[in-house]
Amino acid sequence: MLNPTRVRQNSITLLKMLLGFSLSFGQEPDYASLRQQMVSEQLEGRDIYSRSTLEAMKAVPRHLFVPKAQRPFAYVDGPLPIGHKQTISQPYIVAFMTQALRLKKTDKVLEVGTGSGYQAAVLAKIVDSVFTIEIVEPLGLQAKKRLAQLGYNTVTVRVGDGYHGWPEKAPFDAIMVTAGAESLPQPLVDQLAEGARMVIPIGPHGGIRQLVLVQKKKGKIKTTELMSVRFVPFTRKN
Ligand code: SAH
C-alpha cells in the first residue's frame, strides 16, 4: 500500500534535488579556488619557485581574459583560443617565461604579442611599468579596454609590428616575446638595457621552437636555450 506521508516526503526530496540541480547549473564555477589549484598543481608542483611570479599568478583572474565560452576552462593545464587564430599560453608557460626574466619591481618591461592582455597583467603585478605591442588590431584594442576596466593602469598597449620594439620607451630591463619567431629580431636586442634579459621562442614556423634567454652583459649578448615550446607565429606587417 502507498504511504501518503512517504509519497509527500519523496516528492519534496525530489523537488529539492531539482532545485539544487538547477541552482548549481546556473552557477559560475569557483574561479578563485580553481586558480589556487592551478598555482599549486601546475606551477609549484613543477619548477616555478619565484615568489613574485607565484603571487602574480594567484592574483590575476585569467578567466576574465578569455572568451566567455572558454571561461570554465581558463585554469586547465593548456593554451586556449582567444580568437583571430591566436591563443593565450598555458599557465605554466606564462609563469616559466615570467620567472626566467628575474624581474625587480623597478623594471621597465616590453612584451611583444599582447593577445588577451593576460601576460601583461601578470607582469604588471610584479613591475612598475609594462609596454605591450599587438599586431592584430582588434585583439590589441580589446586587451587595452580589458586591462583598463580591470584596473591595470601601469600597462600601455600599442597596436603595431613588435619587430621594431618601442624605441621611444627603450631601453628595457626585460623583454618578453610571446609569439614564435624564426630568428632574433635585432631591434629588440638593441633595446635591451645593460644587464637586461629577454625571453623569446625561436625556431621554424609550425614546428617545435626553443625558448631562448638572451642576456646583455657589458654590451655582449649571451643566449641560452631553456626548453622546447610551441607558439603561434610571430608575423610581420607587409
Ligand atoms: N601574451 C598573450 C598571448 C600571445 S599569442 C596573452 O597573454 O594572451 C601571440 C600574440 O602575438 C598574438 O596575439 C599575435 O597576434 C601577436 N603577434 C604576432 N606577431 C606579432 C608582431 N610582429 N608584433 C606584435 N604582436 C605580434
Side-chain angles (χ1 to χ4, degrees):
M1 233 186 86
L2 277 178
N3 174 338
T5 320
R6 193 84 179 267
V7 168
R8 201 169 60 238
Q9 272 175 354
N10 281 349
S11 44
I12 289 172
T13 312
L14 188 67
L15 253 176
K16 276 189 182 162
M17 273 172 60
L18 280 173
L19 189 66
F21 179 72
S22 60
L23 273 179
S24 64
F25 195 70
Q27 244 170 28
E28 289 240 67
D30 180 358
Y31 288 119
S33 6
L34 289 176
R35 187 159 60 248
Q36 180 56 53
Q37 197 180 341
M38 174 273 278
V39 170
S40 49
E41 290 173 10
Q42 302 169 33
L43 310 185
E44 291 173 311
R46 294 183 179 138
D47 53 356
I48 306 301
Y49 49 80
S50 150
R51 285 318 323 160
S52 58
T53 299
L54 291 167
E55 287 309 314
M57 296 293 292
K58 267 180 213 167
V60 181
R62 181 171 162 98
H63 62 283
L64 299 182
F65 288 83
V66 299
K68 268 213 172 84
Q70 299 295 336
R71 278 191 193 168
F73 316 109
Y75 298 98
V76 302
D77 194 13
L80 289 175
I82 54 169
H84 303 271
K85 295 195 217 140
Q86 305 304 327
T87 57
I88 179 174
S89 300
Q90 176 188 6
Y92 172 71
I93 295 293
V94 171
F96 185 91
M97 291 176 78
T98 307
Q99 173 171 275
L101 288 178
R102 298 195 304 272
L103 300 167
K104 291 194 305 293
K105 179 147 182 14
T106 51
D107 283 349
K108 179 162 58 157
V109 180
L110 172 70
E111 180 199 21
V112 176
T114 316
S116 68
Y118 174 67
Q119 174 72 72
V122 169
L123 292 167
K125 282 279 170 197
I126 304 175
V127 301
D128 289 338
S129 59
V130 178
F131 295 88
T132 179
I133 310 175
E134 171 56 52
I135 203 163
V136 177
E137 188 172 28
L139 280 178
L141 296 179
Q142 189 186 37
K144 185 178 184 150
K145 195 167 140 200
R146 176 182 288 140
L147 287 161
Q149 278 169 349
L150 295 174
Y152 293 94
N153 49 24
T154 55
V155 180
T156 314
V157 184
R158 180 161 113 176
V159 172
D161 182 354
Y163 178 87
H164 306 289
W166 199 318
E168 308 81 33
K169 301 291 175 189
F172 297 97
D173 303 298
I175 299 180
M176 183 188 290
V177 180
T178 63
E182 288 183 296
S183 58
L184 193 53
Q186 191 57 40
L188 297 184
V189 175
D190 295 341
Q191 290 173 32
L192 286 172
E194 172 56 32
R197 292 83 52 208
M198 162 158 60
V199 276
I200 174 168
I202 300 180
H205 283 347
I208 303 280
R209 301 178 210 253
Q210 280 297 314
L211 186 63
V212 177
L213 174 68
V214 181
Q215 291 167 280
K216 193 180 256 184
K217 277 185 191 158
K218 299 199 177 100
K220 285 212 177 99
I221 294 301
K222 182 184 163 200
T223 61
T224 320
E225 292 187 352
L226 301 178
M227 70 159 141
S228 304
V229 284
R230 270 190 186 278
F231 265 86
V232 292
F234 189 94
T235 54
R236 302 295 315 279
K237 278 257 185 283
N238 297 316

